[in-house]
Amino acid sequence: YVGFGTLGENFVKVSLNNKIGVLNKKGKIIVPCQYDDIKMNFYTEIFIIQEKGLFGLRNLEKLLVSPKYAEIITDDGGR
């Protein structure tokens, strides 16, 4: 893996074969390295994944919404 930096206190964004994934701080794969980019909503720990220019959502366990949207806007609840 090539380290990209932290996502909050508990996660690290990494790259493998030009695809992005997420590890927890123990080194366990949380999001496989299969996306073009990943961002995170820090309040909900939901990952915004990007693949082929489209966006979707993942949580710590599974894919929630396949990358099929041109844009995803999150609301942090006024925090």
Side-chain angles (χ1 to χ4, degrees), residues 14-69:
V14 295
S15 175
L16 181 65
N17 299 324
N18 295 319
K19 294 294 182 177
I20 308 298
V22 177
L23 305 178
N24 67 15
K25 61 184 177 182
K26 293 182 179 181
K28 180 181 176 193
I29 298 171
I30 301 298
V31 178
C33 293
Q34 65 186 52
Y35 301 104
D36 298 327
D37 196 15
I38 298 174
K39 294 184 175 23
M40 182 179 155
N41 181 305
F42 296 102
Y43 299 106
T44 62
E45 293 190 342
I46 298 287
F47 298 96
I48 302 167
I49 53 173
Q50 183 179 4
E51 187 174 41
K52 298 178 183 173
L54 299 175
F55 297 90
L57 300 172
R58 284 189 68 103
N59 66 12
L60 296 175
E61 291 95 31
K62 63 182 179 180
L63 181 66
L64 300 172
V65 178
S66 297
K68 59 183 175 182
Y69 296 100

